[in-house]
Amino acid sequence: DGGITQSPKYLFRKEGQNVTLSCEQNLNHDAMYWYRQDPGQGLRLIYYSQIVNDFQKGDIAEGYSVSREKKESFPLTVTSAQKNPTAFYLCASSMGRFLYNEQFFGPGTRLTVL
Amino acid sequence: GIQVEQSPPDLILQEGANSTLRCNFSDSVNNLQWFHQNPWGQLINLFYIPSGTKQNGRLSATTVATERYSLLYISSSQTTDSGVYFCAVAITGANSKLTFGKGITLSVRP
């Protein structure tokens, strides 16, 4: 069954801790993306990767880090430097390397900082 | 950057009613997508429609790229249509990123 999976679904973190959110896709898509959604808002781009071992900052990259060691995996680390990390995080992927291609989304991870 | 405005911000319908959701954008685009975000947060792809008209069951969409707007039509609405509808666009250009509007919250009452 092809799709995008994210884990965990809910994540609680104490202030000062780094946490890593998982994103996996079996669609054979080249590009992958991480977005952040705050209540009542649209999505904002954190990082994106068009090919393995390469990634680019999006609009709100400060306090986050990523890696792309495998085509199907694009984990996001929320570091202690992120000042307001409580949010809903969505991972997406698209076929081909052009960013304007149709994007498909995973189910999301809700991160709460206690 | 590109501006994306969706209207109305909130919409309440009685089950069975029809509705039109609008998305205005400020530049030429080569990607426009409509999504439905369900109550669990999942973003469901409705249409990939940088221009023209498409239909999928009770939903249809039209994008008039030259006039920089897109419309999403929902006919015979059902309670399961409730949620937030997002329009997202990418301006013309190979490395142009997707920019989201703030969404339209639709509530369909039984």
Side-chain angles (χ1 to χ4, degrees):
Chain A
D1 202 6
I4 303 168
T5 57
Q6 292 186 240
S7 62
K9 191 169 183 178
Y10 298 95
L11 187 56
F12 297 90
R13 187 194 96 174
K14 292 182 180 179
E15 283 193 27
Q17 288 181 336
N18 293 355
V19 290
T20 298
L21 283 57
S22 169
C23 177
E24 304 272 334
Q25 55 96 2
N26 61 4
L27 301 168
N28 200 31
H29 284 174
D30 293 296
M32 296 187 74
Y33 313 80
W34 274 105
Y35 291 89
R36 169 183 171 135
Q37 185 180 26
D38 293 288
Q41 302 295 316
L43 279 65
R44 293 183 290 166
L45 183 64
I46 304 172
Y47 268 99
Y48 63 96
S49 168
Q50 292 166 282
I51 56 173
V52 175
N53 293 322
D54 186 58
F55 47 83
Q56 305 295 329
K57 292 182 180 180
D59 300 319
I60 54 165
E62 185 175 350
Y64 300 98
S65 65
V66 294
S67 62
R68 186 89 186 275
E69 297 176 2
K70 299 186 294 182
K71 186 176 183 178
E72 58 270 23
S73 179
F74 190 40
L76 172 74
T77 297
V78 184
T79 75
S80 56
Q82 168 51 233
K83 296 194 185 315
N84 186 18
T86 295
F88 187 48
Y89 291 88
L90 288 149
C91 176
S93 67
S94 63
M95 189 177 297
R97 297 178 184 179
F98 292 122
L99 302 183
Y100 58 72
N101 290 332
E102 186 177 9
Q103 294 185 23
F104 297 86
F105 284 79
T109 293
R110 291 195 187 275
L111 172 64
T112 303
V113 174
L114 304 173
Chain B
I2 190 168
Q3 304 299 313
V4 182
E5 294 184 3
Q6 294 186 244
S7 59
D10 300 283
L11 191 55
I12 300 174
L13 298 176
Q14 205 64 32
E15 198 168 26
N18 302 330
S19 62
T20 301
L21 286 60
R22 187 176 182 102
C23 174
N24 291 337
F25 44 93
S26 59
D27 209 335
S28 299
V29 300
N30 58 11
N31 178 356
L32 189 145
Q33 291 186 243
W34 281 100
F35 298 92
H36 175 213
Q37 188 167 40
N38 66 21
W40 297 272
Q42 173 83 56
L43 272 177
I44 299 163
N45 288 42
L46 297 178
F47 295 101
Y48 173 74
I49 187 167
S51 64
T53 297
K54 292 185 177 180
Q55 179 153 7
N56 184 3
R58 295 181 296 103
L59 274 59
S60 64
T62 295
T63 297
V64 184
T66 53
E67 297 187 22
R68 299 182 183 170
Y69 72 89
S70 182
L71 302 174
L72 177 69
Y73 305 96
I74 304 174
S75 64
S76 304
S77 58
Q78 301 175 358
T79 56
T80 51
D81 294 331
S82 297
V84 183
Y85 289 80
F86 288 102
C87 166
V89 304
I91 63 173
T92 301
N95 268 349
S96 176
K97 301 180 288 291
L98 210 57
T99 298
F100 282 75
K102 292 190 174 181
I104 295 170
T105 301
L106 174 65
S107 299
V108 181
R109 304 283 170 82

